[in-house]
């Protein structure tokens, strides 16, 4: 059984509120999962506020679970024509439980984490801008997968350049340092693994109806000689042709090679309205698709997509129920969208 009360007061520049929930189960829950309720019953509460003044916004939330564990987050943001800045602090005790909660942090569930995020966007000119962030994190206790306190930080830097009326390019640099664990000769070895990434992308419009994108991704894993270092590379060429208001064609082909799944490179693919996919590209292979979007009338959209996934020197693709006993996977997606 779950019941609760929420109250919120809104003004021109602020919002202030609170919520109290009562949970009762007929059996006691003894799960150690950070995503589940702990115990048989109890009250969980939270108070939150948002305040905005001209270019500055502040927000915060304080929560207490049924065992008096505390979760806290506070953020601020500044926005102007040339410069944007954001700061976010988060702290969730080891045993804090919020069954329906999620956070912006190293872990998606609000538990066992202390962190600080700093981010900014600097618009140098109409044709050039820089975006960057730093995220530092640390756990209060061991995690499920690593038998020690986990700490680390992540850096992100991106340069966006508008070269001409028809050409845009960006370069992205990422670096992550995080505690990892390996079992060697029945002994746990802890070390700070590092992951570096480089991405460059070029987008060029040949005309109003035709443009191409070319992207190259490089990933390097430095495992401090505890286990082998790894390297991953992926590159794709994509073309989009918007012939008329009722017909759109798009095609992409990607080549990738990585040492293992650990150095996989993810690519976002939008299939049709309501469905997208982010495949992990690892080992050696190619991935390609051809998409057609038709709108013969204002009340109907038709999306057809063919996807081919091919791996070199492999006897199967995937695992478990998704395993295919072949080194090639073919999929066809068809959607009719009718507007009445």
């Amino acid at each position: 059984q779950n019941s609760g009360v929420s109250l919120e007061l809104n003004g021109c520049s602020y919002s202030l509120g609170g919520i109290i929930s009562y949970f009762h189960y007929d059996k006691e829950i003894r799960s150690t999962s950070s995503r589940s309720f702990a115990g048989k019953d109890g009250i969980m509460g939270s108070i939150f506020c948002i305040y905005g003044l001209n270019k500055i916004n502040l927000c915060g939330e304080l929560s207490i679970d049924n065992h008096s564990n505390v979760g806290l987050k506070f953020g601020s943001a500044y926005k102007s024509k040339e410069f944007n800045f954001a700061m976010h602090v988060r702290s969730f005790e080891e045993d804090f439980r919020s069954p329906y909660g999620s956070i912006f942090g190293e872990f998606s569930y609000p538990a066992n984490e202390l962190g600080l995020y700093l981010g900014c966007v600097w618009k140098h000119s109409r044709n050039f801008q820089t975006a960057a962030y730093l995220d530092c994190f640390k756990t209060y206790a061991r995690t499920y997968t690593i038998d020690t306190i986990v700490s680390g930080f992540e850096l992100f830097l991106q340069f966006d350049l508008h070269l001409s009326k028809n050409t845009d390019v960006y370069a992205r640099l990422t670096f992550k340092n995080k505690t990892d664990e390996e079992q060697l000769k029945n002994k746990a070895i802890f070390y700070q693994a590092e992951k570096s990434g480089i991405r460059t992308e070029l987008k060029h419009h040949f005309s109003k109806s035709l443009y191409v994108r070319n992207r190259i991704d490089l990933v390097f894993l430095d495992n401090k000689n505890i286990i082998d270092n790894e390297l991953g590379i992926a590159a794709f060429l994509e073309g989009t042709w918007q012939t008329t208001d009722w017909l759109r064609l798009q095609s992409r082909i990607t080549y990738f090679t990585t040492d293992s799944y650990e150095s996989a490179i993810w690519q976002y693919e939008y299939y049709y309205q309501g469905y997208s996919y982010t495949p992990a590209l690892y080992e050696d292979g190619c991935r390609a698709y051809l998409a057609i979007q038709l709108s013969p009338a204002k009340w109907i959209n038709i999306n057809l997509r063919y996807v081919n996934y091919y791996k070199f020197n492999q006897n199967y693709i995937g695992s478990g129920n998704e395993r295919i006993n072949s080194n090639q996977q073919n999929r066809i997606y068809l959607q009719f969208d009718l507007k009445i």
Side-chain angles (χ1 to χ4, degrees):
Q1 300 173 3
N2 178 16
S3 58
V5 176
S6 64
L7 176 66
E8 186 171 350
L9 178 65
N10 292 294
C12 295
S13 59
Y14 68 89
S15 178
L16 176 66
I19 183 169
I20 295 177
S21 295
Y22 174 73
F23 293 83
H24 176 77
Y25 294 86
D26 61 345
K27 299 288 192 302
E28 182 179 2
I29 298 178
R30 298 179 180 177
S31 171
T32 58
S33 170
S34 296
R35 299 181 183 276
S36 77
F37 182 87
K40 186 175 182 180
D41 54 31
I43 296 176
M44 310 179 79
S46 180
I47 57 174
F48 55 89
C49 62
I50 301 173
Y51 177 73
L53 180 63
N54 296 327
K55 300 178 180 180
I56 300 177
N57 286 278
L58 304 174
C59 64
E61 183 174 6
L62 173 65
S63 302
I64 300 177
D65 67 9
N66 58 312
H67 293 293
S68 298
N69 297 300
V70 176
L72 172 67
K73 60 180 182 179
F74 173 79
S76 64
Y78 169 82
K79 187 174 183 179
S80 68
K81 292 183 178 180
E82 297 180 352
F83 189 77
N84 299 339
F85 174 79
M87 182 272 292
H88 187 267
V89 177
R90 58 193 186 272
S91 174
F92 300 92
E93 294 183 352
E94 175 187 359
D95 296 321
F96 179 78
R97 296 294 180 264
S98 180
Y100 304 109
S102 61
I103 63 168
F104 176 77
E106 176 63 16
F107 308 102
S108 61
Y109 47 86
N112 194 22
E113 182 172 352
L114 173 66
L116 170 65
Y117 169 90
L118 301 171
C120 67
V121 176
W122 181 17
K123 304 170 186 176
H124 306 267
S125 65
R126 294 179 57 185
N127 299 326
F128 181 48
Q129 78 169 25
T130 302
Y133 73 72
L134 168 66
D135 186 51
C136 303
F137 53 87
K138 182 180 180 180
T139 63
Y140 284 103
R142 61 151 297 175
T143 67
Y144 297 124
T145 56
I146 299 179
D147 192 20
T148 188
I149 292 176
V150 174
S151 63
F153 65 92
E154 183 172 358
L155 287 167
F156 174 96
L157 182 63
Q158 179 167 312
F159 303 96
D160 292 86
L161 182 61
H162 184 61
L163 292 177
S164 66
K165 180 181 178 180
N166 299 321
T167 306
D168 294 287
V169 64
Y170 76 80
R172 177 182 298 176
L173 306 174
T174 58
F175 179 82
K176 187 171 186 177
N177 177 292
K178 185 178 180 179
T179 306
D180 205 346
E181 177 183 0
E182 285 293 332
Q183 294 289 336
L184 299 177
K185 297 180 180 179
N186 297 323
K187 181 181 180 181
I189 304 295
F190 304 103
Y191 63 100
Q192 293 297 119
E194 295 179 350
K195 182 177 182 179
S196 304
I198 300 175
R199 170 187 290 181
T200 60
E201 179 174 308
L202 173 69
K203 183 177 181 180
H204 180 74
H205 285 261
F206 289 97
S207 64
K208 291 183 179 181
S209 60
L210 177 63
Y211 69 87
V212 297
R213 285 199 304 158
N214 177 238
R215 177 188 294 176
I216 299 175
D217 280 290
L218 175 67
V219 171
F220 176 70
L221 303 183
D222 184 358
N223 294 308
K224 304 302 180 182
N225 297 321
I226 303 299
I227 57 176
D228 293 338
N229 297 334
E230 294 195 15
L231 180 68
I233 302 173
F236 76 64
L237 179 64
E238 177 188 279
T240 303
W241 186 27
Q242 183 81 44
T243 58
T244 63
D245 293 336
W246 60 272
L247 177 61
R248 184 175 186 266
L249 305 175
Q250 187 179 72
S251 181
R252 177 194 293 181
I253 182 168
T254 303
Y255 169 76
F256 57 90
T257 176
T258 77
D259 290 328
S260 75
Y261 180 81
E262 297 299 323
S263 50
I265 295 175
W266 278 260
Q267 286 187 355
Y268 174 82
E269 296 178 2
Y270 174 77
Y271 282 177
Y272 46 74
Q273 185 175 354
Y275 183 49
S276 61
Y277 185 52
T278 309
L281 308 179
Y282 61 98
E283 296 173 340
D284 301 321
C286 289
R287 186 178 180 89
Y289 67 74
L290 175 64
I292 302 174
Q293 180 178 326
L294 296 171
S295 300
K298 292 183 178 180
W299 53 273
I300 182 172
N301 288 319
I302 303 172
N303 289 276
L304 176 64
R305 181 176 293 259
Y306 165 70
V307 182
N308 175 266
Y309 186 39
Y310 182 83
K311 279 196 171 183
F312 309 139
N313 306 317
Q314 296 292 329
N315 296 322
Y316 63 90
I317 293 177
S319 61
N321 293 330
E322 296 293 324
R323 175 166 169 162
I324 295 175
N325 293 321
S326 170
N327 66 340
Q328 187 170 188
Q329 179 192 83
N330 295 282
R331 292 178 181 265
I332 295 178
Y333 302 86
L334 177 62
Q335 181 198 54
F336 291 92
D337 184 18
L338 305 178
K339 300 178 181 180
I340 301 175

